[in-house]
Amino acid sequence: MSAAGFLKRVAQVLEDRSAAYGDPKTQMDAIARRWSITLGTPVTAQQVALCMIDLKLARLAHDPSYADGPIDVIGYAALIPEIIRGTRS
């Protein structure tokens, strides 16, 4: 798959996940609130996205052939500017 085709696939996955789970910023905020309680320390939506990227990278290190791994890494990275904009608006 070409780089352009790969990015189109990532965009489609982001649209599909948004349709299934709602606004990504809202979801990351909800996860951050839960993780803050679980960890006993404040967690931001941006940190959630970064931790999810790290999780996906760890899984890819275990199985580099997993096709959805790179899509998920790029997808979470693409959400970070949205999350940041959402906190400043």
Side-chain angles (χ1 to χ4, degrees):
M1 176 183 311
S2 69
F6 176 80
L7 291 175
K8 286 180 185 175
R9 175 72 180 123
V10 171
Q12 184 61 55
V13 167
L14 288 171
E15 286 181 28
D16 293 348
R17 301 258 168 85
S18 183
Y21 303 119
D23 175 64
K25 167 74 169 108
T26 301
Q27 287 300 306
M28 294 294 170
D29 281 337
I31 294 166
R33 285 190 301 276
R34 295 179 65 89
W35 287 5
S36 295
I37 293 166
T38 299
L39 298 172
T41 190
V43 176
T44 67
Q46 184 177 358
Q47 288 171 321
V48 169
L50 292 171
C51 288
M52 293 305 295
I53 291 168
D54 204 28
L55 169 75
K56 297 298 180 171
L57 290 173
R59 287 181 176 173
L60 278 169
H62 174 73
D63 182 5
S65 66
Y66 182 64
D68 285 348
I71 291 170
D72 292 340
V73 168
I74 299 304
Y76 282 116
L79 292 177
I80 292 172
E82 261 184 60
I83 291 167
I84 292 170
R85 271 195 312 274
T87 60
R88 294 184 182 156
S89 55

